Amino acid sequence: MGGVALDDGSSGVKAPDGGWGWAVLFGCFIITGFSYAFPKAVSVFFKELIREFDVGYSDTAWISSILLAMLYGTGPLCSILVNRFGCRPVMLVGGLFASLGMVLASFSTSIIHIYLSTGVITGLGLALNFQPSLIMLNQYFSEKRPLANGLAAAGSPVALCCLSPLGQVLQYYYGWRGGFLILGGMLLNCCACGALMRPLVPPKKPETPATENTPDDGNKKAKPKSKLLDFSVFRDPGFVIYTVAASIMVLGLFVPPVFVVSYAKELGNEDTKSALLLSILGFIDIFARPTCGIIAGLQWVRPRCVYLFSFALIFNGTTDLVGSLSKDYTSLVVFCIFFGISYGMVGALQFEVLMAVVGTEKFSSAIGLVLLLEAIAVLVGPPSAGRLLDSTKNYMFVFLLAGTEVVLSALVLAICNLLFIKKKPEPPETATENGEPVEAKNHSSTPPIEEPHKSNGNSEKLKDSGDLRDENVTQGPKEVDIFLKDKDEQNKSIPSSPESNL
């Protein structure tokens, strides 16, 4: 492995729930912001690209689509690389790829070059940062994990509120080529965030001379080699239910933010006023995610976080259904407020629930497979909503479709968990006494024998008495009591010394 510390959850290292974990959380906050906000921030340059390369808006929209497809679709590849090399090396290489793609795009002479550089190379780099950062966050936090997930997820709306205005400023002063070059330099911060992902190393056990001289090295069992991509997660019904529900959810979850600005313009509002709706949505989202993380970490709520996630999905889908009836700007503002709350709840809980379902050991493989299946839904959801809009010319049906899909995913998740996921019955307590289960003693024909009181320095004497008791097991309980009483009196007569006390 070349000295690379693997970040597997089977090392037995307890999550510190703090300490260096806060640095890991900060890095995950930045990475999440870049990963989710960058495809939307690049859209600021679309008008300049249309003018430069004489293409249509649909051609430039493929840039964001390819970015998202790479972010989701390369999940299994990221899982294999993380299980092979560890999180930190993968993130460092991913930061270089993300920056290189934007730098190469600044020298593009056709839209195809931007597809390959910004879409494929930068998208792959962001994917190699996003997934490992979540894996490291899962390893560093256990008790405080819901709060950590909520704070990390807040990076998405914060980065969106910062990168979109910054892109407009860069385009105004430096053009799209200079803006791409500067954004490429900013993406090198992903390498700095990757350097923060220090793997947890189990403490070294002190070797005693007795263990050094034991010639049983040949009898030691070799540790099973960790799988690069563990498909056994599909045997877990909880994971299958989550994957199906998440795939249905993604079909409609991202549709309203894409169409709400166009919806406002359709109602006769000016461009700046319509664009303000996304700022309102993002501002509410910033506070909704950490708040939901705090609620999910409560002692009573955390064991039921799956149902809290289902409630968040129902809340989000119902908001879409009600928002489809909006007829003026005020009603759209109210819609964006409630959608921001529900969208933030979903963003804070989606990976927390997955971590709770599969555990730390299989999370690296599980998230890769889930993102791959979600990638298909991401590519199908918004385009299908667009075709529905083209055929009906009515935004109401778009929001109705999105809300129905999200509510359906909530019902699948909640009902299937209620029906098919059974709590494991607690095993009966089998307390042992002197190496014999209490249950077996209670069913034996002879009454229980009281254990003699142990005095200092009489371990050998008690051992002898135990041997004699085994030999005289056929004697009655009265003879055994008399024998133990005599031995106890003999032990009391033995003088104790500091060494025997020790």
Side-chain angles (χ1 to χ4, degrees):
M1 296 300 296
V4 176
L6 287 180
D7 305 312
D8 55 351
S10 58
S11 60
V13 184
K14 185 179 179 182
D17 273 315
W20 190 257
W22 298 115
V24 173
L25 174 59
F26 175 75
C28 191
F29 176 88
I30 301 297
I31 295 297
T32 304
F34 276 132
S35 300
Y36 278 116
F38 205 80
K40 301 173 185 176
V42 172
S43 62
V44 174
F45 300 94
F46 282 178
K47 287 185 178 180
E48 289 290 326
L49 295 176
I50 291 172
R51 188 181 301 113
E52 176 82 14
F53 300 115
D54 193 20
V55 293
Y57 183 82
S58 59
D59 297 321
T60 56
W62 273 102
I63 300 173
S64 297
S65 298
I66 296 173
L67 268 170
L68 287 174
M70 293 299 295
L71 180 64
Y72 284 89
T74 55
L77 174 63
C78 295
S79 297
I80 292 173
L81 293 176
V82 167
N83 291 332
R84 177 68 176 85
F85 300 105
C87 289
R88 181 188 279 177
V90 172
M91 292 183 69
L92 292 174
V93 174
L96 293 176
F97 270 95
S99 176
L100 177 64
M102 294 303 294
V103 172
L104 292 177
S106 65
F107 299 98
S108 298
T109 57
S110 70
I111 195 70
I112 302 297
H113 296 163
I114 296 182
Y115 291 163
L116 297 176
S117 55
T118 300
V120 176
I121 300 178
T122 299
L124 176 61
L126 292 175
L128 293 178
N129 275 269
F130 175 62
Q131 186 172 323
S133 66
L134 290 177
I135 295 172
M136 289 301 297
L137 191 70
N138 182 35
Q139 293 182 8
Y140 267 88
F141 288 92
S142 177
E143 297 295 330
K144 299 178 181 178
R145 192 179 63 203
L147 174 61
N149 275 306
L151 292 173
S156 174
V158 170
L160 183 61
C161 293
C162 296
L163 287 179
S164 295
L166 177 63
Q168 293 176 351
V169 172
L170 293 177
Q171 178 184 334
Y172 180 78
Y173 286 101
Y174 304 103
W176 72 269
R177 294 184 184 274
F180 275 27
L181 190 62
I182 294 173
L183 289 176
M186 289 181 60
L187 286 176
L188 285 174
N189 287 294
C190 294
C191 296
C193 295
L196 295 174
M197 305 299 166
R198 186 171 64 193
L200 290 173
V201 180
K204 294 183 179 179
K205 296 181 180 179
E207 295 182 358
T208 58
T211 58
E212 290 178 357
N213 299 328
T214 53
D216 298 332
D217 295 336
N219 298 330
K220 290 182 179 178
K221 293 182 179 180
K223 292 183 179 179
K225 192 174 181 180
S226 59
K227 298 179 181 179
L228 295 180
L229 191 60
D230 192 357
F231 288 97
S232 65
V233 290
F234 285 106
R235 299 175 186 172
D236 185 357
F239 174 76
V240 175
I241 293 170
Y242 175 87
T243 303
V244 173
S247 300
I248 300 173
M249 172 196 73
V250 172
L251 288 173
L253 183 65
F254 301 118
V255 169
V258 173
F259 290 95
V260 67
V261 175
S262 302
Y263 193 7
K265 292 178 182 179
E266 184 75 14
L267 295 177
N269 299 288
E270 55 188 35
D271 293 353
T272 55
K273 195 175 180 181
S274 301
L276 184 61
L277 292 173
L278 282 181
S279 301
I280 295 172
L281 192 155
F283 181 77
I284 300 297
D285 192 6
I286 291 173
F287 297 98
R289 298 191 183 213
T291 304
C292 185
I294 294 173
I295 295 174
L298 297 177
Q299 185 177 2
W300 184 82
V301 178
R302 190 170 185 185
R304 303 166 179 84
C305 62
V306 174
Y307 299 104
L308 179 62
F309 185 43
S310 301
F311 168 77
L313 291 173
I314 292 176
F315 185 15
N316 185 271
T318 306
T319 304
D320 294 342
L321 297 175
V322 176
S324 65
L325 304 176
S326 300
K327 299 299 180 182
D328 54 12
Y329 187 78
T330 304
S331 58
L332 284 178
V333 170
V334 175
F335 163 76
C336 287
I337 292 174
F338 283 97
F339 185 85
I341 297 173
S342 60
Y343 190 74
M345 293 177 66
V346 173
L349 291 172
Q350 57 177 341
F351 295 117
E352 166 61 25
V353 173
L354 179 60
M355 292 174 186
V357 168
V358 300
T360 302
E361 185 177 354
K362 295 183 178 180
F363 180 71
S364 60
S365 297
I367 188 175
L369 296 170
V370 167
L371 290 178
L372 175 61
L373 296 175
E374 286 185 356
I376 302 172
V378 165
L379 293 177
V380 171
S384 61
R387 288 188 178 182
L388 179 63
L389 180 62
D390 292 337
S391 60
T392 61
K393 307 296 181 182
N394 194 335
Y395 283 90
M396 181 183 70
F397 296 107
V398 173
F399 281 76
L400 286 175
L401 175 63
T404 303
E405 290 167 342
V406 176
V407 170
L408 177 62
S409 68
L411 296 177
V412 169
L413 183 63
I415 295 175
C416 291
N417 267 276
L418 199 61
L419 295 178
F420 302 109
I421 306 299
K422 303 294 182 182
K423 289 186 178 180
K424 295 181 181 179
E426 295 183 0
E429 294 182 0
T430 57
T432 58
E433 187 178 332
N434 294 333
E436 184 181 354
V438 174
E439 244 178 80
K441 281 189 173 185
N442 294 339
H443 289 86
S444 61
S445 58
T446 59
I449 302 172
E450 291 186 1
E451 188 176 351
H453 298 287
K454 296 181 182 180
S455 60
N456 294 333
N458 61 350
S459 59
E460 294 182 359
K461 295 289 182 179
L462 289 177
K463 184 177 179 181
D464 296 338
S465 66
D467 295 338
L468 290 173
R469 182 169 48 181
D470 292 337
E471 293 175 1
N472 301 322
V473 70
T474 57
Q475 298 178 0
K478 291 183 179 180
E479 288 83 353
V480 174
D481 290 340
I482 294 171
F483 173 75
L484 292 178
K485 187 176 180 182
D486 293 340
K487 282 295 178 181
D488 195 19
E489 290 177 356
Q490 292 177 11
N491 290 337
K492 289 180 180 177
S493 63
I494 299 175
S496 60
S497 62
E499 292 181 1
S500 62
N501 290 336
L502 181 61

